[in-house]
Amino acid sequence: LEDHYHLDLDWARRTYRAKIADVDIARILEMQPGDPVMYITELYHLSNGMPVEYTKAWVNAEIFKISTIIRRTDEKRDQESFG
């Protein structure tokens, strides 16, 4: 989107939800109906706040992994240093 339409993507909200694969999703992911899947939605926004892209994805829960780094902001660190 950014390159083709020259849009300035700024941020997105990504939501993860545990679900059970229905018949169609199970067929596409080559699994059994009723198997666990992660359902992911993303809504991308321009720098002016306008939403421009909505994505839905289903991922086999057997291969799904989330890894994050959590870092305190400088402001929070400064507050703790001064008690």
Side-chain angles (χ1 to χ4, degrees):
L1 286 176
E2 285 183 301
D3 293 336
H4 188 76
Y5 294 106
H6 308 289
L7 297 174
D8 184 18
L9 297 178
D10 188 45
W11 65 279
R13 176 180 304 273
R14 182 179 291 160
T15 303
Y16 302 91
R17 186 172 187 188
K19 293 187 114 183
I20 300 299
D22 64 20
V23 173
D24 293 328
I25 296 302
R27 180 180 44 77
I28 292 166
L29 295 179
E30 299 178 353
M31 39 191 329
Q32 296 298 313
D35 283 353
V37 293
M38 290 303 297
Y39 176 62
I40 305 165
T41 59
E42 297 174 323
L43 182 58
Y44 290 86
H45 296 79
L46 299 177
S47 56
N48 67 6
M50 177 185 284
V52 293
E53 180 181 354
Y54 183 71
T55 302
K56 298 187 293 186
W58 290 263
V59 180
N60 182 334
E62 293 287 323
I63 61 171
F64 184 80
K65 177 182 176 180
I66 297 176
S67 177
T68 61
I69 295 173
I70 301 169
R71 180 172 292 156
R72 290 181 172 250
T73 64
D74 289 339
E75 181 180 309
K76 180 66 175 173
R77 255 185 255 146
D78 291 344
Q79 288 174 1
E80 289 180 349
S81 297
F82 297 108

